[in-house]
Amino acid sequence: MQNDECGMQRGRMEQKRDILERTKAFALRIIRLYSALPQKTEAQVLGKQVLRSGTSVGAQLREGKRSRSDVEMISKTESAPQELEETAYWLELLAESGIVKAELLADLQRETDELTAILVTSVKTLKSRKAK
């Protein structure tokens, strides 16, 4: 039984590291997107919004990792999907306004959706553990 528990804990630690690495890679992709945007005012305004929200996801999770309490960790972790939802909005505007071709953003939008699903599940798990 102890080996199973150690294996499960190791698995959770790997998942946490994976999501931290994945959100950092996501932030780097957002930075590259911003750098490639045209210098037109509307592109830069939308770009700064997506830059801010897209790069804050991983930062929120890293802050949550160092939380002093479960409540603080849940709060920080809950912020990450909210930032992803905002990022999705700015990506949609970049595509629908014609600033960036939609097909160029499709993979980034898919990653936004996947990270959102993972983090919403994580928040639910954290809240259920706290309730026990």
Side-chain angles (χ1 to χ4, degrees), residues 4-18:
D4 288 344
E5 288 175 17
C6 288
M8 286 181 358
Q9 189 170 2
R10 190 172 26 258
R12 282 193 294 264
M13 288 171 51
E14 288 173 9
Q15 281 180 324
K16 285 180 186 177
R17 186 173 54 246
D18 289 346

Side-chain angles (χ1 to χ4, degrees), residues 1 48 55 73 93 105 114 121 123:
M1 195 72 137
K48 285 180 182 170
T55 56
M73 181 165 53
L93 286 179
L105 294 176
E114 288 177 18
T121 300
V123 168

Side-chain angles (χ1 to χ4, degrees), residues 6-132:
C6 288
M8 286 181 358
Q9 189 170 2
R10 190 172 26 258
R12 282 193 294 264
M13 288 171 51
E14 288 173 9
Q15 281 180 324
K16 285 180 186 177
R17 186 173 54 246
D18 289 346
I19 195 67
L20 292 174
E21 290 172 10
R22 196 165 166 181
T23 54
K24 187 176 188 180
F26 179 77
L28 291 169
R29 290 175 68 191
I30 292 290
I31 292 166
R32 286 191 292 276
L33 167 66
Y34 176 73
S35 296
L37 288 174
Q39 292 301 310
K40 296 188 305 184
T41 302
E42 60 276 12
Q44 291 300 303
V45 168
L46 295 175
K48 285 180 182 170
Q49 294 288 353
V50 78
L51 181 66
R52 189 207 52 76
S53 62
T55 56
S56 70
V57 176
Q60 293 291 333
L61 293 178
R62 286 180 74 158
E63 285 181 46
K65 188 175 92 170
R66 299 284 182 213
S67 298
R68 294 175 296 251
S69 69
D70 289 344
V71 171
E72 187 179 355
M73 181 165 53
I74 289 169
S75 175
K76 291 295 180 182
T77 305
E78 278 181 320
S79 297
Q82 292 171 346
E83 294 293 340
L84 283 163
E85 194 59 41
E86 184 177 335
T87 301
Y89 176 75
W90 300 122
L91 291 172
E92 288 171 17
L93 286 179
L94 284 169
E96 292 175 22
S97 66
I99 294 170
V100 179
K101 290 182 181 178
E103 57 268 15
L104 296 176
L105 294 176
D107 191 52
L108 198 51
Q109 288 172 313
R110 190 170 24 263
E111 180 69 354
T112 303
D113 292 341
E114 288 177 18
L115 288 170
T116 300
I118 291 166
L119 293 173
V120 165
T121 300
S122 294
V123 168
K124 287 179 183 177
T125 301
L126 287 169
K127 285 181 173 182
S128 70
R129 280 192 205 143
K130 186 179 179 316
K132 289 181 182 180

